[in-house]
Amino acid sequence: MGTTIFTVMSKLANENKAINLSQGFPNFDCSPALRELVSFHLNDGKNQYVPMAGLPSLRDSIAEKVSICYGKTINPSSEITITAGATQALFTAIAAFVSKGDEVILIDPSYDSYRPAVEVMGGIPVAYELEAPNFKINWSNFENLVTEKTKMIIINTPHNPIGKTLKKEDLLALEKIVCNKDIIILSDEVYEHLIYDNQSHQSVLSFPALYKKSLITYSFGKTFHNTGWKIGYCIGPAELMHEFRKVHQFNVFSVNSFVQYALADFLKDASNYLSLPIFYQQKRDALNSFLKGSSLKPLKSEGTYFQLFDYSAISDLPDTEFAKWLTIEHGVASIPISVFYAKAKQSTCVRLCFAKTEETLEKAAIILRGL
Ligand code: PMP
Ligand code: GLN
């Protein structure tokens, strides 16, 4: 197994002093009010274990957020577990349900932690491939991949790396496919608030029949601009969450205490997360306007803090080579998308991260316009 592309490209960016639009993290700080809350609780002695499933007041704040965002009532004691980021939530969900020989359907390009997690449990990843430039799911073709052995389907909306969102029709089609089957849906919704052009996020939480079969993963790192804190959570119906916690208790037990106290307080002001779509939409639009006149062709980003650009007017190199060339020769780091497919894939797209200050985006765009 190789090293994750995010480590590879950030290392190359650092070695070449390139502007790093590869790995997805903001280059601006998180809210001063949130940092003050963390420091307050750290110094207030909140330094010992919290309950295994997470601090009760944080789970209450999350249940309140779910009610505000999706009009759904969930039980904070039995349906929410706080995790060490979404990566751990995903891994734990897979470990709890996937055993040797089980098939797991992934939608490629898929986020890079899914496939190894399935494989390490002895599961068999089965890929449904999305095709550029529309990346639409044909649900009847998708259904052909479902067999007696299908244990889990992993979906991701808004989608990293392509920046597309699943629509209501998609979720209804998925619901129809799994309704009478013993299949778990693992829905990665870490970019739930990074959604643009007045769309609303179609969460599995809004589809009662799907929710019964689902575990959903979230990341505070994405929502509150602190990817380094590695705190997230998993939501799911009590019976599935019970199984999830059987693994969680032995691979993490409980997540760091004082940040949980701080997040419990910070979540009480809904504007802290409801303001995100406009905040990031402005960054997406700034990057696109800075890149006007460039030979990079944008593929519209509907969500996430990523956007794909087709570079075929500039180079014939495969995307992994193009991304290296762009970093080393021109000082802008990006992420190639072919690495998110199981089968070797020809791609002429790279992903740029726009979770950056406008100054950084403009500097990068000046270089990119010169290609
Ligand atoms: N899922 C997706 C789609 C992601 O982009 C990321 C990247 N952060 C994660 C999961 C992992 O989130 P975390 O950093 O909270 O582990
Ligand atoms: N999710 C981030 C991205 O897609 C990276 C996370 C990581 O580095 N593991 O760029």
Side-chain angles (χ1 to χ4, degrees):
M1 183 176 293
T3 305
T4 163
I5 189 70
F6 306 118
T7 299
V8 170
M9 290 310 301
S10 273
K11 183 166 175 278
L12 197 66
N14 290 336
E15 285 166 0
N16 290 278
K17 299 194 174 30
I19 300 173
N20 191 358
L21 304 190
S22 65
Q23 192 178 21
F25 61 88
N27 74 338
F28 43 86
D29 210 348
C30 62
S31 146
L34 178 54
R35 284 185 278 129
E36 268 165 36
L37 283 169
V38 170
S39 137
F40 170 78
H41 288 294
L42 172 68
N43 291 309
D44 194 41
K46 304 292 186 343
N47 297 309
Q48 309 308 328
Y49 293 131
V50 301
M52 183 269 276
L55 186 74
S57 60
L58 176 55
R59 285 185 277 143
D60 288 346
S61 293
I62 292 170
E64 174 67 17
K65 172 176 175 300
V66 165
S67 155
I68 292 171
C69 294
Y70 306 110
K72 183 170 175 69
T73 304
I74 56 170
N75 182 336
S77 350
S78 57
E79 294 178 82
I80 303 173
T81 300
I82 310 302
T83 60
T87 311
Q88 183 239 314
L90 290 160
F91 195 93
T92 299
I94 292 167
F97 289 98
V98 175
S99 310
K100 194 161 191 281
D102 288 339
E103 292 178 2
V104 178
I105 303 180
L106 307 179
I107 299 173
D108 279 357
S110 54
Y111 184 63
D112 76 337
S113 81
Y114 306 158
R115 185 167 278 106
V118 169
E119 284 172 346
V120 91
M121 298 315 299
I124 303 164
V126 175
Y128 176 86
E129 282 196 7
L130 298 175
E131 296 291 337
N134 293 323
F135 299 104
K136 281 224 176 319
I137 302 177
N138 174 323
W139 288 101
S140 58
N141 291 348
F142 184 95
E143 190 169 15
N144 292 335
L145 299 180
V146 176
T147 72
E148 291 286 289
K149 289 189 179 162
T150 307
K151 188 60 180 265
M152 180 179 270
I153 295 173
I154 306 183
I155 60 171
N156 173 212
T157 183
H159 189 283
N160 179 11
I162 60 177
K164 299 281 178 212
T165 55
L166 291 179
K167 311 294 182 290
K168 191 172 177 193
E169 315 79 86
D170 294 306
L171 281 272
L172 290 173
L174 177 64
E175 186 172 277
K176 213 162 142 215
I177 292 172
V178 296
C179 63
N180 293 319
K181 300 193 175 71
D182 193 13
I183 294 177
I184 308 279
I185 304 297
L186 179 53
S187 183
D188 184 351
E189 302 185 14
V190 298
Y191 299 103
E192 62 175 331
H193 298 299
L194 278 59
I195 184 149
Y196 313 125
D197 307 317
N198 297 318
Q199 286 181 83
S200 51
H201 170 56
Q202 297 299 320
S203 171
V204 161
L205 285 162
S206 309
F207 297 79
L210 259 189
Y211 178 65
K212 275 196 209 151
K213 297 168 164 288
S214 299
L215 287 168
I216 318 170
T217 57
Y218 297 96
S219 169
F220 286 118
K222 307 292 165 193
T223 302
F224 294 138
H225 320 307
N226 44 38
T227 59
W229 292 3
K230 294 297 296 187
I231 292 216
Y233 54 100
C234 183
I235 297 183
E239 317 80 74
L240 301 187
M241 193 49 76
H242 181 69
E243 297 302 311
F244 179 94
R245 287 179 186 169
K246 287 183 186 169
V247 178
H248 177 78
Q249 66 183 335
F250 294 125
N251 74 346
V252 176
F253 183 67
S254 69
V255 174
N256 82 77
S257 52
F258 51 92
V259 176
Q260 295 195 56
Y261 281 91
L263 287 167
D265 295 348
F266 196 66
L267 276 174
K268 292 204 174 96
D269 179 355
S271 68
N272 286 328
Y273 49 86
L274 296 178
S275 56
L276 276 167
I278 189 68
F279 174 77
Y280 273 118
Q281 183 171 319
Q282 278 165 359
K283 293 198 176 290
R284 179 199 65 175
D285 294 347
L287 175 63
N288 281 275
S289 74
F290 294 145
L291 280 174
K292 277 231 166 78
S294 122
S295 303
L296 287 173
K297 184 168 158 245
L299 280 72
K300 196 169 173 88
S301 170
E302 299 173 336
T304 74
Y305 44 48
F306 306 115
Q307 180 155 1
L308 298 186
F309 289 86
D310 185 326
Y311 61 82
S312 51
I314 299 171
S315 167
D316 293 331
L317 288 171
D319 64 355
T320 45
E321 293 306 311
F322 178 79
K324 274 188 205 151
W325 171 81
L326 192 58
T327 311
I328 297 168
E329 301 297 329
H330 294 279
V332 179
S334 61
I335 293 282
I337 69 157
S338 60
V339 300
F340 300 101
Y341 285 87
K343 286 201 210 109
K345 185 90 186 155
Q346 290 290 337
S347 146
T348 54
C349 286
V350 287
R351 187 195 83 176
L352 299 182
C353 173
F354 54 79
K356 307 291 165 190
T357 59
E358 289 209 2
E359 192 195 355
T360 302
L361 294 175
E362 189 168 17
K363 262 195 202 157
I366 290 169
I367 300 173
L368 297 171
R369 281 204 310 266
L371 293 176

